[in-house]
Amino acid sequence: MRFLALLLGVKAASILLLSSLTGTGAVNSSGRWWGIVNVASSANLLTNSKSVQLVLDPSLALLSRRQRRLIRQNPGILHAIVAGLHSAIKECKWQFRNRRWNCPTTHSPTVFGKIVNRGCRETAFVFAITSAGVTHAVARSCSEGAIESCTCDYRRRGPGGPDWHWGGCSDNVDFGKLFSREFVDSSERGRDLRYLINLHNNEAGRMTVSSEMQKECKCHGMSGSCTVRTCWMRLPSFRTVGDFLKDRFDGASRVVYANKGSNRASHHADPRHLEPENPAHKPPSVRDLVYFEKSPNFCSFNGRTGTQGTSGRTCNSSSPALDGCELLCCGRGYRTRTEKVTERCHCTFHWCCHVSCLNCTSTQILHQCL
Ligand SMILES: *[C@@H]1O[C@H](CO)[C@@H](O)[C@H](O)[C@H]1NC(C)=O
Ligand SMILES: *[C@@H]1O[C@H](CO)[C@@H](O)[C@H](O)[C@H]1NC(C)=O
Ligand SMILES: *[C@@H]1O[C@H](CO)[C@@H](O)[C@H](O)[C@H]1NC(C)=O
């Protein structure tokens, strides 16, 4: 990747970025910031220094003026945003590895492809996990001292219980959420159903991060007697966040736009809100994922909708579930081939300190969808 320029002053940088923006002619800004994931190759150039510096990677032109201002005002944060996006993409691929839609990404600025312009469950998951990724990475970077404008969350102080007190460095999830609301949500425009749904799912991602915070403690006292403990709040692992969001994907609510005229909406102060399509269902909570259209079946390649299809995917011939050949290949059948796999085996530990292994070769049977 080539850079337009490096480390210019802020004013010059803004002007340059703006002029490169006018050339893109893009209409949809929804999720456009995901394109900065390509900035990762230049991670070593994103400095944390006091003097405000911007790396003029072309990907940064995908950001709005407001988003670039937020990055300038919070030196060090770009690194966290990009790292959060990377974790989100990795987690999305892992959670969906056995499904027809397996969270494919491209190197183009749209990253997740056309699925983001739809309103199905998969779209909901992409918005929620990426918003959660930014929240999580920013909250952690604050407590690691990598962002100049935030620190650990020190607001919890004093006694917490009979044998412990608050102390130490809590991950700053409130800063993470605030920043994500400003930065991530500002990509969304409009007043329509899609807009409300994207914002709802962004918030669901953030709330999942903060509601899974755990208390963590350290013992003090004579030789580990643990008479006194100091405790702080720690972020959940991102796998935990992914697991919760995947559960909410499975239980996502299909919603409709409730407007002023509708009777069902009469008790709401805000006329613009979401309600379940089926009035018998309970309204989605703040942590539930919402969608408004059925998912495509993701079976075959379709350039118009941007689905890749499952041809060539590896399936499990003995599984009755979604990763089984019947469902994954959509009934088209599969071919079987054998592959030689070499693995390290019979490893022994030698004092001290190395491990030696033998190479074992085995034959694996692979099934691939036609
Ligand atoms: C923009 O979004 C609309 C849906 O709101 C979609 O139909 C259209 O294809 C999108 N355009 C681009 C260039 O992605
Ligand atoms: C295939 O599916 C079976 C049944 O669900 C499971 O026991 C097995 O571990 C799966 N194999 C792989 C390689 O995932
Ligand atoms: C195992 O394979 C690796 C790479 O193919 C090779 O470097 C190594 O020497 C092999 N080890 C033995 C014990 O044959």
Side-chain angles (χ1 to χ4, degrees):
M1 179 174 290
R2 278 182 307 115
F3 303 118
L4 297 175
L6 298 174
L7 311 174
L8 295 182
V10 176
K11 269 221 176 84
S14 314
I15 292 164
L16 250 171
L17 283 168
L18 277 178
S19 63
S20 62
L21 249 187
T22 53
T24 61
V27 192
N28 294 340
S29 62
S30 193
R32 256 166 71 86
W33 66 275
W34 293 325
I36 63 167
V37 74
N38 300 319
V39 103
S41 54
S42 63
N44 53 336
L45 295 173
L46 308 177
T47 68
N48 288 334
S49 80
K50 265 252 149 40
S51 58
V52 183
Q53 293 176 330
L54 258 191
V55 179
L56 284 189
D57 187 293
S59 324
L60 289 183
L62 295 165
L63 300 179
S64 69
R65 216 176 187 168
R66 174 141 182 243
Q67 286 169 325
R68 290 196 298 269
R69 196 188 64 224
L70 285 165
I71 287 177
R72 281 200 307 274
Q73 288 169 343
N74 298 277
I77 212 158
L78 181 54
H79 201 103
I81 299 169
V82 174
L85 204 42
H86 271 281
S87 320
I89 291 171
K90 205 169 130 212
E91 187 59 25
C92 181
K93 288 182 185 298
W94 196 86
Q95 293 290 343
F96 286 84
R97 69 202 182 284
N98 291 331
R99 299 182 62 104
R100 286 178 188 163
W101 181 80
N102 58 352
C103 202
T105 49
T106 65
H107 286 292
S108 78
T110 55
V111 185
F112 295 98
K114 291 182 178 166
I115 194 78
V116 305
N117 292 327
R118 304 189 73 116
C120 55
R121 288 165 188 263
E122 287 77 9
T123 320
F125 189 86
V126 164
F127 277 85
I129 195 91
T130 49
S131 163
V134 170
T135 307
H136 193 273
V138 167
R140 176 59 52 80
S141 297
C142 286
S143 51
E144 286 171 349
I147 301 173
E148 288 182 20
S149 49
C150 60
T151 60
C152 304
D153 184 352
Y154 292 120
R155 283 173 303 174
R156 285 193 179 82
R157 294 165 183 281
D163 57 349
W164 64 276
H165 59 87
W166 289 110
C169 169
S170 294
D171 285 320
N172 201 337
V173 77
D174 284 346
F175 187 91
K177 282 199 293 189
L178 272 176
F179 182 82
S180 167
R181 278 188 198 117
E182 295 239 349
F183 184 88
V184 175
D185 288 5
S186 73
S187 271
E188 303 307 313
R189 296 275 152 69
R191 283 281 169 267
D192 57 353
L193 179 61
R194 182 187 308 278
Y195 168 81
L196 288 181
I197 281 182
N198 290 349
L199 290 192
H200 181 102
N201 292 325
N202 283 347
E203 186 67 9
R206 291 186 283 264
M207 294 308 282
T208 301
V209 174
S210 63
S211 63
E212 299 311 319
M213 297 278 289
Q214 298 281 335
K215 197 175 87 185
E216 207 171 79
C217 299
K218 197 170 117 184
C219 283
H220 306 282
M222 297 292 275
S223 53
S225 63
C226 213
T227 44
V228 186
R229 285 182 307 152
T230 309
C231 304
W232 60 91
M233 294 301 283
R234 194 166 168 75
L235 287 165
S237 73
F238 203 63
R239 174 55 38 84
T240 304
V241 175
D243 288 345
F244 272 93
L245 288 177
K246 176 59 172 31
D247 281 350
R248 297 197 177 114
F249 167 91
D250 292 328
S253 318
R254 188 164 178 172
V255 292
V256 291
Y257 190 87
N259 54 37
K260 219 181 243 154
S262 135
N263 279 337
R264 282 154 70 188
S266 55
H267 48 278
H268 284 274
D270 181 359
R272 296 174 299 110
H273 70 276
L274 303 170
E275 57 183 38
E277 186 185 49
N278 182 341
H281 292 170
K282 70 176 172 52
S285 83
V286 70
R287 272 176 284 162
D288 288 325
L289 298 190
V290 297
Y291 67 102
F292 69 87
E293 64 177 351
K294 257 185 77 182
S295 300
N297 64 23
F298 298 110
C299 279
S300 43
F301 175 84
N302 183 331
R304 192 179 55 80
T305 58
T307 56
Q308 298 186 341
T310 61
S311 181
R313 289 275 303 278
T314 303
C315 60
N316 181 338
S317 63
S318 56
S319 167
L322 278 172
D323 63 335
C325 292
E326 189 54 37
L327 286 175
L328 192 72
C329 309
C330 307
R332 293 185 307 261
Y334 55 92
R335 77 172 74 83
T336 300
R337 61 187 181 83
T338 54
E339 203 174 68
K340 277 216 169 86
V341 191
T342 303
E343 283 172 329
R344 281 151 53 97
C345 57
H346 302 301
C347 295
T348 44
F349 178 75
H350 300 273
W351 187 264
C352 181
C353 292
H354 85 108
V355 175
S356 69
C357 298
L358 293 178
N359 291 332
C360 296
T361 303
S362 61
T363 316
Q364 267 190 0
I365 300 169
L366 284 179
H367 306 291
Q368 275 180 323
C369 293
L370 292 174

